[in-house]
Amino acid sequence: MAAAGLPDKVASRADLPGEVTIWEVGPRDGLQNEKSVVDLDVKLEFIDRLADAGLRTIEATSFVHPKWVPQLADAADLLAGLSKRDGVRYPVLVPNERGLDRALESGVTNIAIFASATETFAQKNLNRTLDSQFEMFDPVVSRARAAGLEVRGYVSMVFGDPWEGPVPVDQVVTVGRRLLDMGCSQLSLGDTIGVATPGQVEAIISAFGSPEALAVHFHDTYGQALANTLAALQCGVSTVDASAGGLGGCPYAESATGNLATEDLVWMLDGLGLSHGVDLNKLADTSAWMATRLGRPSPSRVVQALRG
Amino acid sequence: MAAAGLPDKVASRADLPGEVTIWEVGPRDGLQNEKSVVDLDVKLEFIDRLADAGLRTIEATSFVHPKWVPQLADAADLLAGLSKRDGVRYPVLVPNERGLDRALESGVTNIAIFASATETFAQKNLNRTLDSQFEMFDPVVSRARAAGLEVRGYVSMVFGDPWEGPVPVDQVVTVGRRLLDMGCSQLSLGDTIGVATPGQVEAIISAFGSPEALAVHFHDTYGQALANTLAALQCGVSTVDASAGGLGGCPYAESATGNLATEDLVWMLDGLGLSHGVDLNKLADTSAWMATRLGRPSPSRVVQALRG
C-alpha cells in the first residue's frame, strides 16, 4: 500500500490458483439494470477503457429482445462500433435462436446462454419449465458450436431463490451438467439474489467434482460477495465474474446492491499475489468516470476509498 | 432465506470454531468517529437495544480525555445510566492511569488499552515511541488486574500503516506478546485503515503460534473485512469485532467507510451455522433506528437490503 495505494502482498496458505481470469460483466450485467439507457458512445468508451485497464474478457452486451432489455437494444451497433483488441474476448448474452442469428450477423466469437436452477425463475424469466428450458438452449448451443463459437452457460439462482428459498444442490448440478453435456465450455454459478455464504459455495463446487469448468458470479446484496469469492478460489475456481465499480443489481432482490465490484476483487487478488493483468488505478478511474455519467457514486468500496 | 430472510445453513469444510464471540464496538469505535455528539439517552437506548438483540460483549465507551474524543465525554454518565444485564460485558477503552481511575470509579469490570504496531502511529496517536508506549500501559494493566479487571489489548495498524506502508510481522508479534506478558487476556488485531487481505491475516495469526488469545478487528475501507474475517475463522480465531450497521471509520484512512458491519458478519455466521446468539432482525432494526438518529443510511449491505 503506502505510496502506490496497493495492499502488501502475502500469499495464502491455501492452494489458490496462481492466475485468475476476471470475467468483466459491467457493460452487460451492470448496464442492463440501469433505469436509464446509457448512450452508445459512453458504452463504447466504457468497454475500451476496461480493455485499456487490462481486462481480457469483457461481456459486451446482450441479444435479448429489446422489449425486455431496452437498455441493450443497441447491441448490433455496439458490436459494429467496438474497437476490438487482440487478446480480448467480447462475449455477448444470447437467449435463443433469434438472438444467436443477430450475434452471428455481428461476428461474435463468444456467447453466453442464461439458464435457471429453479422452476419458478425458469418460468418467470424464461417462460419455460426447468426441464423445457433446455429445448430452447439446445439448438442455440449446437449451432453456435458448429459455427466455431465458444459458449458459456450461466446458471442463475444457484444459492437461493426468492420464491423457493434454498435450492437443492443436486438440482443445480443436474442443470449445470446438462449445459456442459450440451457443449458449454464453462458454467458461471450465479448467486442472483446475493444470499450465499462460504459453506454453500464449497458444497456446490465440491458437488460438481472438479472446479475446472466452473466460474462464480456473486452479488453483494448481503455483503458476502468477496468472502464467497475467497471460498471459491480455495476450492480451485479460477474464473470470477465481477462488474467494474459494482454496477448492476437484480430486479428480484430487495436492494439495488450490485455485482461484486471488480476493484474490490482486484484489491484482494493483488494482496494475495495472484496475477490477473488488471491495473487497479486505471480501472478505478474508469469506474469513477462511469459513476459521473450515471449520476451516482460507485458502490465499490475501493472506488469510494481511492476516488471518493 | 425465503420467508425468514435468513441464509440457507451450510457448514464449511474448513475447521471453523463452532461458536463465535461477537465483540460489538459500535457504541465506542463507531460513535467516537461521528462528527456530531450523539445524545446520552440515544447512546443508552442503542446499547440496551444491542443487548436485547443478543450481543453479550458491548464496548460501551472510552475514558480517553474529552479534549481528544468529545463524542464520548459523557463516559461516566453513560456507565451510571446503563441498565446492565446479567451475562453481558460492557468493556470500556482506557488510555492511561487517569482513564483507569475514572473507569474504576464507574465500577467497570472489563477494560481495553490501545497500542500501536508502528512507530509513526505510536507517536501520532499516543505521543510515545513504539517502545515507550509500554511504560504507559504497564501501570494501567497491573493496577487493573490487581483490582480484578479483565484487560484487552488493541493493536492498531497491524496490516498496514498510512505513513510506513507494510508492517513487519515480527514487529506486530513483539508488540502483541508484550501486551500478553503484561497481563492482557486478549489481543484485538486491528486493520485500522482497512487494507488487509486474507494471506496477511493468515500470516499474522500463524506467527502468534496459537489463535487462542486473538481477536480480529477489520475495517471495510477496501471491501475486504468479511473475506479477512473468513480467513481468521479458518485459522481458529473465535472472537470477531464488529460494529452495528457498520458505524465508525478511521480518521487516518482516505474514506469514511467504517468497521465490519455486525449484520454482515451475522449473515455469514448464520449461513455457516456458527452460533453467536444474535437476532439478526432485531439488530438490523436497531441499526436502522440509529441511522435515522444519525441522519444518514447505514453502510451495512444487510441493513440496506433488509431495511433500506
Side-chain angles (χ1 to χ4, degrees):
Chain A
M1 38 137 308
L6 292 172
D8 194 20
K9 289 190 186 186
V10 185
S12 172
R13 297 177 306 178
D15 190 23
L16 305 182
E19 195 171 338
V20 172
T21 298
I22 300 176
W23 189 291
E24 171 62 44
V25 298
R28 196 276 301 170
D29 197 13
L31 299 185
Q32 78 175 18
N33 287 303
E34 284 299 313
K35 285 206 180 83
S36 56
V37 179
V38 174
D39 288 345
L40 179 60
D41 60 341
V42 173
K43 289 177 180 171
L44 288 169
E45 183 173 348
F46 184 39
I47 293 172
D48 203 53
R49 290 179 69 144
L50 292 171
D52 195 52
L55 286 154
R56 291 292 164 261
T57 309
I58 306 170
E59 197 163 295
T61 187
S62 162
F63 282 108
V64 170
H65 196 288
K67 185 175 150 192
W68 305 116
V69 185
Q71 295 92 334
L72 304 182
D74 57 4
D77 293 340
L78 181 132
L79 289 164
L82 211 57
S83 323
K84 287 185 187 156
R85 301 187 186 209
D86 286 345
V88 180
R89 297 181 289 180
Y90 302 91
V92 300
L93 195 70
V94 162
N96 50 30
E97 284 197 89
R98 178 67 194 109
L100 178 65
D101 292 337
R102 295 171 63 204
L104 290 170
E105 283 162 24
S106 291
V108 306
T109 58
N110 287 258
I111 65 164
I113 60 172
F114 194 81
S116 171
T118 69
E119 189 66 57
T120 314
F121 192 62
Q123 286 174 12
K124 288 191 183 274
N125 196 51
L126 305 171
N127 203 24
R128 299 269 168 161
T129 65
L130 184 60
D131 198 59
S132 71
Q133 64 180 330
F134 298 99
E135 291 163 20
M136 180 167 72
F137 303 142
D138 194 43
V140 176
V141 179
S142 57
R143 284 182 52 208
R145 297 270 291 156
L149 273 56
E150 210 168 329
V151 185
R152 163 185 251 215
Y154 279 102
V155 188
S156 54
M157 301 295 177
V158 163
F159 301 94
D161 174 288
W163 302 281
E164 300 183 18
V167 182
V169 171
D170 58 356
Q171 187 171 310
V172 174
V173 173
T174 301
V175 169
R177 287 247 167 85
R178 284 185 72 168
L179 295 172
L180 290 172
D181 291 346
M182 204 172 257
C184 290
S185 57
Q186 186 176 69
L187 299 179
S188 173
L189 304 175
D191 183 16
T192 316
I193 54 171
V195 295
T197 46
Q200 272 187 295
V201 174
E202 295 170 14
I204 293 273
I205 294 167
S206 301
F208 274 97
S210 158
E212 298 265 309
L214 303 180
V216 285
H217 183 107
F218 295 119
H219 282 225
D220 206 32
T221 321
Y222 296 89
Q224 311 294 308
L226 199 61
N228 288 333
T229 300
L230 178 62
L233 294 172
Q234 290 172 339
C235 291
V237 168
S238 65
T239 299
V240 180
D241 297 6
S243 172
L247 286 176
C250 171
Y252 302 96
E254 291 173 68
S255 99
T257 313
N259 290 276
L260 170 63
T262 312
E263 289 85 353
D264 298 14
L265 171 63
V266 165
W267 187 278
M268 185 174 80
L269 298 179
D270 277 342
L272 289 164
L274 307 182
S275 67
H276 52 75
V278 176
D279 179 320
L280 180 62
N281 279 309
K282 280 189 178 178
L283 181 60
D285 282 342
T286 300
S287 293
W289 165 84
M290 196 66 196
T292 308
R293 293 291 166 287
L294 296 172
R296 57 185 160 73
S298 161
S300 159
R301 303 285 198 208
V302 169
V303 174
Q304 286 169 16
L306 297 181
R307 300 286 180 275
Chain B
M1 34 136 309
L6 293 172
D8 194 18
K9 289 191 186 185
V10 185
S12 171
R13 296 177 308 178
D15 189 22
L16 305 182
E19 195 170 336
V20 172
T21 298
I22 301 177
W23 189 291
E24 171 61 45
V25 298
R28 198 276 301 169
D29 197 13
L31 297 185
Q32 79 174 18
N33 287 302
E34 283 300 312
K35 285 206 180 84
S36 56
V37 179
V38 174
D39 289 345
L40 179 60
D41 60 340
V42 174
K43 288 177 181 173
L44 288 169
E45 183 172 348
F46 184 37
I47 293 172
D48 203 53
R49 291 179 70 144
L50 292 170
D52 195 52
L55 286 154
R56 290 291 164 264
T57 309
I58 306 170
E59 197 164 295
T61 188
S62 162
F63 282 109
V64 170
H65 196 288
K67 185 175 152 191
W68 305 116
V69 184
Q71 295 92 334
L72 304 181
D74 57 5
D77 291 340
L78 181 132
L79 289 164
L82 211 57
S83 324
K84 287 185 186 156
R85 300 187 186 210
D86 285 346
V88 180
R89 298 181 289 181
Y90 300 92
V92 300
L93 195 70
V94 162
N96 50 31
E97 285 196 89
R98 177 68 194 107
L100 179 64
D101 292 337
R102 295 171 64 204
L104 290 170
E105 282 162 25
S106 290
V108 305
T109 57
N110 288 258
I111 65 163
I113 60 172
F114 194 80
S116 172
T118 70
E119 190 65 57
T120 313
F121 192 62
Q123 288 175 11
K124 289 190 184 274
N125 196 52
L126 304 172
N127 202 25
R128 299 269 168 160
T129 66
L130 184 60
D131 199 58
S132 71
Q133 64 180 329
F134 297 99
E135 293 164 19
M136 182 167 71
F137 302 142
D138 195 43
V140 176
V141 179
S142 57
R143 285 182 52 207
R145 297 270 289 157
L149 273 57
E150 210 169 330
V151 185
R152 162 184 252 214
Y154 279 103
V155 188
S156 53
M157 300 297 177
V158 164
F159 302 94
D161 174 289
W163 303 281
E164 300 182 17
V167 182
V169 171
D170 57 357
Q171 187 171 311
V172 174
V173 174
T174 301
V175 168
R177 287 247 168 85
R178 285 185 73 169
L179 295 173
L180 291 173
D181 291 346
M182 206 172 256
C184 290
S185 57
Q186 185 176 69
L187 298 178
S188 172
L189 304 175
D191 183 16
T192 317
I193 55 171
V195 295
T197 46
Q200 273 186 294
V201 174
E202 294 170 14
I204 293 273
I205 294 168
S206 301
F208 273 98
S210 159
E212 297 264 310
L214 303 179
V216 287
H217 183 106
F218 295 119
H219 282 226
D220 206 32
T221 321
Y222 296 88
Q224 310 294 308
L226 198 62
N228 289 334
T229 301
L230 178 63
L233 294 172
Q234 289 172 339
C235 292
V237 169
S238 64
T239 299
V240 180
D241 297 6
S243 173
L247 285 176
C250 172
Y252 303 96
E254 293 173 67
S255 96
T257 313
N259 291 274
L260 169 63
T262 312
E263 289 85 354
D264 298 14
L265 170 63
V266 166
W267 187 278
M268 184 173 80
L269 298 179
D270 278 342
L272 288 164
L274 308 182
S275 67
H276 51 76
V278 177
D279 179 319
L280 181 61
N281 279 310
K282 280 190 178 179
L283 181 61
D285 281 342
T286 300
S287 293
W289 166 83
M290 195 65 196
T292 307
R293 293 292 166 286
L294 297 171
R296 57 187 159 70
S298 161
S300 159
R301 304 287 198 209
V302 169
V303 175
Q304 287 168 18
L306 296 181
R307 299 288 180 274

